[in-house]
Amino acid sequence: MIRLLIVDDQALVRAGFRMILDAEPDLEIVAEASDGLEALAVADKFTIDVALMDIRMPNLDGIEATRRLVERSPTTHVLMLTTFDLNEYVYEALRAGAAGFLLKDAPPEQLVDAIRVVASGEALLAPSITRRVIEEFVRRPPPTEGLPEQVADLTAREVEVLRLIARGRSNAEIATELFLGETTVKTHVARILQKLGVRDRVQAVVLAYETGLVQPGADS
């Protein structure tokens, strides 16, 4: 069972999400909140697997709420939901620790699928979003010889895997491209996250671009 927290300042929006999600046998809405402060208070009382987080809210916005929530509860995954398809919101949400980003007008089945993807520990980050956000908002550092210091502990194979993660590849796609088993890829991903000290694939993607390991505009 995936335990959910719905965070949105509009009661009608929360009710709409509840109507969609209550119909799914593997999803359970354990609480709702109308702003970021309330979300943090609720999260202290319940075990939350996935928080559906609006970005623009009074008192404490979704980005800062996400930052605080993932610090308090590393096992909680945050799926950002917004009507604003703006790059700066996407990028700041990812930097805050969100595991995914989805527009509120996405079809119900896409919302449900997104929750399941995020709950499983995967990143909901399409290649198109990855490229668009990183190319506009991350300034690549000047080229240097060798690997950036932050990724110097990675093996050559792990660097290959990280570059493919940063280009939006799934584990299955990475396995096919590198002629590896999917279980082996999962092991590489786990070691990469551990060595980089990041909580999930999204954070690894941001670090890969910010350090210059993957260059904006590179072939996908």
Side-chain angles (χ1 to χ4, degrees):
M1 184 68 70
I2 301 173
R3 293 156 296 193
L4 306 175
L5 166 63
I6 301 176
V7 188
D8 196 290
D9 61 328
Q10 298 183 46
L12 285 177
V13 172
R14 297 198 305 273
F17 286 148
R18 179 176 285 277
M19 185 179 302
I20 294 169
L21 302 175
D22 276 343
E24 301 298 324
D26 60 332
L27 305 181
E28 177 187 6
I29 300 172
V30 299
E32 297 181 13
S34 60
D35 61 45
L37 291 177
E38 188 177 345
L40 295 175
V42 168
D44 286 339
K45 298 177 182 178
F46 298 95
T47 300
I48 306 296
D49 297 312
V50 177
L52 305 180
M53 185 79 69
D54 188 22
I55 287 185
R56 298 183 68 172
M57 296 183 294
N59 300 322
L60 187 69
D61 66 43
I63 292 175
E64 182 58 30
T66 295
R67 185 175 290 110
R68 298 184 192 182
L69 179 58
V70 297
E71 287 178 356
R72 294 185 187 187
S73 178
T75 59
T76 298
H77 305 284
V78 178
L79 178 59
M80 306 300 298
L81 297 167
T82 183
T83 55
F84 299 92
D85 185 16
L86 299 178
N87 289 350
E88 61 264 33
Y89 287 129
V90 180
Y91 183 61
E92 288 306 316
L94 299 180
R95 295 208 62 178
F101 187 94
L102 198 65
L103 293 177
K104 287 182 181 178
D105 60 1
E109 61 272 15
Q110 188 175 342
L111 170 64
V112 172
D113 288 345
I115 290 171
R116 291 173 180 147
V117 167
V118 168
S120 72
E122 292 286 338
L124 188 74
L125 196 61
S128 60
I129 292 179
T130 304
R131 289 193 298 269
R132 186 185 66 187
V133 173
I134 299 300
E135 287 176 19
E136 185 163 346
F137 288 95
V138 176
R139 293 186 177 180
R140 183 171 73 248
T144 58
E145 293 185 2
L147 292 175
E149 181 180 353
Q150 295 93 324
V151 299
D153 289 338
L154 300 184
T155 65
R157 178 63 84 185
E158 288 166 353
V159 170
E160 283 184 293
V161 172
L162 177 56
R163 285 190 169 119
L164 292 174
I165 291 173
R167 290 176 181 136
R169 303 291 199 274
S170 67
N171 285 351
E173 290 169 336
I174 294 172
T176 298
E177 192 156 339
L178 297 182
F179 303 100
L180 299 172
E182 193 167 347
T183 300
T184 301
V185 173
K186 289 180 180 178
T187 300
H188 283 313
V189 172
R191 289 176 178 168
I192 290 168
L193 299 184
Q194 181 180 24
K195 288 183 179 181
L196 297 181
V198 296
R199 71 189 305 270
D200 56 29
R201 294 167 77 103
V202 172
Q203 298 297 293
V205 168
V206 173
L207 186 147
Y209 277 97
E210 288 184 329
T211 60
L213 181 67
V214 176
Q215 299 181 2
D219 292 339
S220 60

